[in-house]
Amino acid sequence: MEVSNVRPDAPVTRGPSRVGMIGLGRMGAAIASRLIDRGHPLLLHDVRAEAMVPLVARGACAVGSAAEAMDVDVLITMVPDDRAVAAVWLDSDLVRRLPSATVHVCMASISYEMGNTLAEVHAQATRRYVAAPLFGRPFLAERGELDVIAAGDADAIASCRPVLDSIGRRVFEVGSIPAHANLVKIARNFLVANVIESLGEAFGLCAKGGLDKARFLEVLLDTSLAAPAYRYYGEYCVARSRETLLPMRLGLKDVELAVVAAEALDAHLPTAALIAEQMRAAISEGWGDRDWAALAEWVGERSARSSDHAAVPKHPLPIGARDPFR
């Protein structure tokens, strides 16, 4: 089946924003689907022509290059990582070819350094740029229930709000420095990784004592830790689910972004390095295509194999040093 590269017959001056999309992976395709549902005229570009076919069938228009997708009100970049972003935006003169009225919105999960670099090259070219990374899974994108973190020039954010509001249940504006949105994404994903790691350790501890982890989770979710993250990842681990929404190899990338950001900002983030090491070990044992939530299961199983890790010296807390909030 051929993919059309015909543009809309006439520009839209009122009503829904004209949107261009570069990158149609699982999340990008889900966002595009939602934007079509909301009536936004859509130009698409992906290096895989087959990724555009279902969306073209629903009324979107495919083009043969990223440059051809730029004659829009809002241009979204949703590619996998720093390398892909650099290939599109830094290894060419694409920024300077961006129409001055177009707002480029980068939703990709990129490093703090890349976030700063993108903002700098757009500023040098006097082009409009907003960083807007996302929280959520593709099925939430299709329902318009993502959480969007936006940062950049206030006027630029206002110009793209109709598009952001189409895909998000809420848009959090975190200031005028675009890379701050990337930092929020990185720090929040780091916290989620901590939840997964700590659940695995806690489940492993309970298992070593003969306590059923489902009973432990029941207690956990009916006390002060009854938060959505503990519920979702705890239930995933207890059920030993095989559903994969974010492969662990990609989850490792998110944790490594925290490690790199900490180095760039001279911050101390020891648990990020630990979790990255745990993920690499799990991946080396064939868990790379499992959801990153499965790290909790892997950690719990490893805990049951005492010979797999060195003994930790015992240094009990002195009397009076106990946590009063436990």
Side-chain angles (χ1 to χ4, degrees):
M1 180 177 181
E2 293 185 358
V3 178
S4 168
N5 63 357
V6 179
R7 294 169 180 260
D9 292 334
V12 176
T13 56
R14 294 181 182 274
S17 302
R18 297 171 300 152
V19 182
M21 283 213 61
I22 301 172
L24 294 168
R26 291 182 63 186
M27 182 62 85
I31 291 170
S33 178
R34 173 65 177 178
L35 292 174
I36 291 172
D37 289 343
R38 300 294 290 177
H40 294 282
L42 202 59
L43 292 179
L44 308 173
H45 174 66
D46 192 278
V47 293
R48 300 164 300 123
E50 65 274 13
M52 297 184 278
V53 172
L55 297 164
V56 169
R58 295 185 54 206
C61 297
V63 295
S65 68
E68 294 176 79
M70 297 196 303
D71 188 18
V72 290
D73 301 310
V74 177
L75 178 63
I76 295 173
T77 297
M78 191 59 182
V79 295
D81 51 28
D82 281 22
R83 181 178 298 180
V85 168
V88 175
W89 290 104
L90 304 184
D91 298 343
S92 68
D93 64 345
L94 206 60
V95 172
R96 296 192 179 277
R97 295 167 63 186
L98 189 69
S100 59
T102 299
V103 181
H104 175 210
V105 180
C106 184
M107 296 183 173
S109 294
I110 57 175
S111 68
Y112 178 66
E113 180 180 8
M114 178 59 76
N116 279 315
T117 299
L118 276 179
E120 181 179 351
V121 297
H122 282 76
Q124 290 174 348
T126 62
R127 295 301 188 267
R128 306 173 82 196
Y129 174 68
V130 170
L134 311 165
F135 296 135
R137 302 295 178 99
F139 72 89
L140 293 174
E142 292 176 346
R143 301 203 303 241
E145 296 177 2
L146 296 171
D147 293 316
V148 183
I149 313 301
D153 176 76
D155 288 340
I157 293 176
S159 294
C160 64
R161 273 300 295 253
V163 174
L164 302 183
D165 289 334
S166 292
I167 65 171
R169 70 174 187 90
R170 183 171 177 185
V171 177
F172 298 84
E173 297 185 19
V174 296
S176 62
I177 300 174
H180 282 181
N182 305 117
L183 197 57
V184 170
K185 168 83 171 181
I186 291 167
R188 191 265 194 182
N189 281 352
F190 163 63
L191 286 175
V192 173
N194 272 272
V195 169
I196 296 169
E197 168 73 23
S198 60
L199 276 171
E201 293 183 19
F203 283 144
L205 178 65
C206 291
K208 291 287 279 188
L211 174 64
D212 179 63
K213 61 184 178 183
R215 181 58 55 86
F216 169 69
L217 183 63
E218 179 184 353
V219 174
L220 194 70
L221 297 182
D222 201 28
T223 52
S224 60
L225 289 179
Y230 282 99
R231 179 175 301 278
Y232 176 83
Y233 292 109
E235 290 176 350
Y236 185 101
C237 187
V238 167
R240 299 175 67 89
S241 175
R242 288 297 187 268
E243 181 182 16
T244 299
L245 295 176
L246 178 67
M248 196 180 302
R249 52 188 167 76
L250 296 183
L252 172 60
K253 183 202 80 170
D254 287 341
V255 177
E256 289 175 337
L257 289 179
V259 174
V260 172
E263 293 174 351
L265 294 169
D266 195 24
H268 189 51
L269 220 61
T271 54
L274 168 65
I275 295 169
E277 181 182 353
Q278 295 275 67
M279 284 187 166
R280 292 188 195 102
I283 290 168
S284 72
E285 294 182 14
W287 290 59
D289 290 326
R290 294 279 304 276
D291 195 272
W292 77 326
L295 177 68
E297 183 181 340
W298 181 86
V299 169
E301 289 183 1
R302 189 186 190 199
S303 178
R305 306 195 303 264
S306 299
S307 61
D308 281 2
H309 49 81
V312 178
K314 297 181 179 179
H315 298 291
L317 287 174
I319 299 298
R322 298 182 185 278
D323 182 355
F325 298 105
R326 65 176 183 172

